[in-house]
């Protein structure tokens, strides 16, 4: 495995920079990273609302941050005399003179001279956790976090709870802090970086902690799986026996990915189960042993259903039937949400009904457009899975429909192994890769280059393409070919062919982030695959 510079965990002081919200009034706050996704903006608004003087600093320019700046500057409720911008640079004095710096989780603290100059460092998550009295349901992992938290929040609301959802899913919990109390569950999606910013603070004590599937990710940041996983472990570090830790039970690549495997452990979930002080529950794609409690999947009438198995149950209780979202991996995410719901005392019959109407979320196998070629008669449905940023997620998306799909994939590498996706493209089969794509279109990037190097015949893929528009233009031209129905084996009564945009890589270079990438993909599809005639780029060739 390739390695990055050695990752050095940083331990923050216990407690918070502020004892009460009133302590914020009159303080000098530096918000490091305004950004475009709302996190920095939420921090600015929160501290202004509580009477602070705020310096907003970002290495991006005012032009790059124009949408966020426009929202702040045009808000009549914000006191413009209380905040200033320092953009396109950072200045040491803005960090050294501040009473508190609010750190962006995407910035490493090690070796950062600006953060080294700060008196106190907090994050939006640490501030929220210090002041909220809400019961916390926290979710981390490598794959499935966003779907799990979204299904859980949706289900809690439909079960009658006044719940809130925030964290890595691009909603800062500071936007709803004042509306939480001891009766309002808060679902937090937490990345490894957000968890790292909590180390030592003793602020995160979730009533329920869920760790979704663990696989290599962010190795360009961490340099080793152990460093990456050690940050994940922070989700349960301060739990007690009255809390629950929900963990994977099925064998994974732990023995291969870990340099020093724990004796008797077959998966990362086993490692976590040995360490947490919380009450352990497990989830599995297969029936759990009678002495293991949690949630499992089973086959009924050729479909997959879900059961929970808790102490005192003579037999498992059904909580998941047919779902409206595609993909075998989605069943695991929804079942974990169902297990958490049961711990919140929601009846199994109600859980079964609620999770069955959840329709998924934006950028995760999001069905958003259909089109039929008047020339060939082929019908296609477009799915946006832009938040698939690891190869395993793209491989799973290619198998989500129990049929062959047209796969659009590729992007920038973050020091990951592209073999899981390459296996799908090579058509090697197996339980995890039954369906080789009908066609594969590649978006240019360093990750795509690594992927192509693993294919015996790189020419089996189309591309790499330097833009979404060119890639989609080639796809449309191919679908319009009068012989395309034979090429794609499409018959008039067939359901639409899924066209799945699942990059399996990051978005650096072409896009601001995976959300920007997904939005631009949807916009380009709706323009190019509209009912109106659209002029394709001149260099498009079928």
């Amino acid at each position: 495995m390739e390695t990055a510079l050695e990752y050095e965990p940083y331990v923050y002081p216990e407690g918070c920079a502020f004892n009460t919200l009133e302590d914020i009034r009159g303080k000098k706050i530096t918000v490091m990273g305004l950004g475009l996704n709302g996190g920095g903006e939420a921090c600015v608004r929160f501290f202004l609302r509580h009477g602070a003087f705020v310096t907003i600093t970002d290495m991006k320019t005012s032009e790059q941050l124009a949408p966020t700046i426009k929202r702040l500057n045009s808000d009549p409720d914000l006191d413009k005399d209380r905040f200033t911008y320092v953009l396109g640079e950072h200045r040491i004095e803005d960090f050294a003179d501040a009473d508190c710096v609010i750190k962006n989780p995407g910035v490493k603290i090690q070796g950062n001279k600006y953060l080294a100059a700060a008196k106190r460092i907090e994050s939006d998550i640490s501030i929220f956790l210090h002041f909220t009295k809400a019961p916390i349901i926290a979710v981390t992992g490598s794959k499935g976090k966003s779907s799990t938290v979204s299904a859980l929040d949706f289900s809690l609301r439909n079960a009658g709870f006044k719940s809130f959802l925030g964290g890595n899913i691009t909603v800062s919990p500071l936007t709803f802090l004042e509306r939480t109390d001891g009766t309002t569950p808060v679902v937090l999606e937490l990345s490894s970086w957000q968890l790292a910013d909590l180390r030592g603070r003793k602020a995160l004590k979730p009533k329920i902690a869920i760790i979704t599937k663990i696989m290599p990710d962010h190795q360009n940041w961490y340099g080793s799986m152990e460093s990456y996983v050690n940050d994940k472990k922070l989700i349960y570090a301060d739990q007690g026996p009255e809390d629950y830790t929900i963990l994977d039970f099925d064998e994974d690549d732990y023995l291969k990915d870990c340099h020093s495997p724990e004796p008797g452990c077959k998966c990362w979930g086993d490692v976590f189960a040995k360490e947490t002080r919380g009450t352990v529950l497990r989830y599995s794609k297969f029936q759990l042993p009678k002495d293991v409690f949690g949630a499992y999947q089973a086959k009924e009438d050729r479909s997959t259903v879900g059961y929970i198995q808790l102490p005192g149950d003579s037999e498992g209780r059904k909580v998941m039937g047919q779902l409206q979202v595609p993909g075998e991996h989605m069943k695991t995410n929804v079942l974990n949400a169902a297990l958490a719901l049961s711990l919140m005392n929601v009846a199994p019959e109600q859980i079964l009904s609620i999770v069955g109407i959840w329709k998924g979320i934006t950028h995760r196998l999001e069905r958003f457009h259909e089109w039929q070629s008047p020339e060939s008669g082929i019908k296609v449905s477009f799915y946006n899975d832009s938040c698939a940023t690891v190869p395993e997620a793209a491989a799973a998306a290619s198998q989500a429909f129990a049929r062959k799909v047209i796969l659009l994939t590729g992007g920038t590498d973050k020091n990951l192994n592209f073999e899981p996706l390459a296996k799908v493209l090579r058509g090697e089969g197996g339980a995890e890769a039954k369906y080789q794509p009908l066609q594969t279109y590649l978006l240019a990037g360093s990750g795509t280059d690594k992927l192509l190097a693993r294919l015996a015949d790189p020419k089996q893929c189309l591309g790499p393409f330097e833009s979404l528009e060119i890639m989609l233009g080639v796809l449309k031209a191919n679908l319009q070919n009068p012989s395309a129905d034979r090429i794609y084996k499409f018959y008039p009564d067939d359901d639409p062919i899924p066209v799945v945009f699942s990059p399996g890589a990051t978005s650096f270079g072409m896009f601001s982030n995976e959300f920007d990438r997904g939005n631009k993909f949807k916009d380009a599809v709706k323009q190019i695959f509209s009912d109106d005639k659209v002029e394709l780029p001149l260099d498009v060739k079928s």
Side-chain angles (χ1 to χ4, degrees), residues 58-350:
D58 199 306
M59 294 300 288
K60 291 186 173 66
T61 64
S62 57
E63 290 78 15
Q64 292 172 304
L65 297 168
T68 308
I69 292 172
K70 181 179 179 181
R71 285 193 298 271
L72 291 173
N73 290 348
S74 61
D75 189 337
D77 294 330
L78 298 182
D79 185 347
K80 308 301 186 296
D81 294 331
R82 283 183 171 269
F83 67 94
T84 58
Y85 297 102
V86 178
L87 303 177
E89 63 173 336
H90 290 321
R91 303 182 308 197
I92 286 288
E93 59 266 30
D94 294 325
F95 292 78
D97 295 342
D99 294 298
C100 183
V101 172
I102 307 303
K103 176 185 171 296
N104 184 311
V107 177
K108 270 187 178 178
I109 193 168
Q110 83 179 93
N112 189 297
K113 63 181 181 180
Y114 303 104
L115 292 172
K119 297 183 183 76
R120 287 296 296 263
I121 300 170
E122 297 283 353
S123 67
D124 64 333
I125 303 292
S126 69
I127 293 288
F128 173 81
L129 290 172
H130 184 77
F131 288 110
T132 188
K133 292 180 171 59
I136 303 297
I137 305 174
V139 180
T140 194
S142 304
K143 189 172 74 170
K145 298 187 299 295
S146 296
S147 297
T148 302
V149 297
S150 297
L152 184 47
D153 179 63
F154 172 88
S155 300
L156 285 168
R157 290 171 184 265
N158 278 271
F161 290 92
K162 180 184 177 183
S163 77
F164 296 93
L165 172 62
N168 194 52
I169 202 162
T170 75
V171 177
S172 171
L174 292 182
T175 61
F176 52 74
L177 169 62
E178 291 90 339
R179 290 181 284 156
T180 66
D181 58 34
T183 68
T184 56
V186 170
V187 183
L188 290 180
E189 177 189 338
L190 297 174
S191 69
S192 53
W193 301 342
Q194 288 170 319
L195 286 166
D197 285 339
L198 299 174
R199 181 178 272 108
R201 299 187 192 274
K202 296 193 178 298
L204 177 62
K205 299 177 182 180
K207 176 183 177 68
I208 301 170
I210 303 173
I211 303 183
T212 67
K213 199 72 176 173
I214 292 289
M215 56 190 60
D217 198 2
H218 301 300
Q219 293 301 285
N220 55 334
W221 177 291
Y222 285 100
S224 72
M225 277 296 288
E226 284 81 356
S227 294
Y228 169 60
V229 171
N230 282 341
D231 279 355
K232 296 295 186 188
K233 292 177 178 181
L234 294 170
I235 197 170
Y236 58 72
D238 293 307
Q239 282 190 303
E242 69 281 5
D243 305 313
Y244 293 94
T245 316
I246 299 175
L247 305 167
D248 195 6
F249 187 74
D250 298 337
E251 186 172 348
D252 56 23
D253 287 335
Y254 165 69
L255 293 174
K256 180 183 72 174
D257 293 335
C258 182
H259 291 142
S260 301
E262 290 275 347
C265 293
K266 67 182 184 303
C267 63
W268 290 105
D270 291 343
V271 177
F272 304 145
K274 291 173 67 174
E275 294 181 355
T276 181
R277 292 189 296 273
T279 297
V280 173
L281 298 173
R282 310 298 293 267
Y283 60 90
S284 176
K285 292 182 179 179
F286 312 98
Q287 185 160 354
L288 291 169
K290 288 296 182 182
D291 60 343
V292 176
F293 302 112
Y296 63 88
Q297 298 177 33
K299 292 290 184 182
E300 286 184 5
D301 299 325
R302 293 185 296 179
S303 64
T304 302
V305 298
Y307 286 84
I308 55 173
Q309 177 173 293
L310 298 177
D313 290 343
S314 57
E315 58 184 27
R317 294 178 290 171
K318 186 174 178 180
V319 291
M320 185 184 76
Q322 187 166 352
L323 302 177
Q324 295 197 30
V325 288
E328 291 300 313
H329 58 298
M330 280 295 188
K331 293 180 173 67
T332 297
N333 302 334
V334 173
L335 188 54
N336 278 339
L339 178 55
L341 279 176
S342 72
L343 299 177
M344 297 294 289
N345 298 315
V346 181
E349 298 79 10
Q350 191 175 9

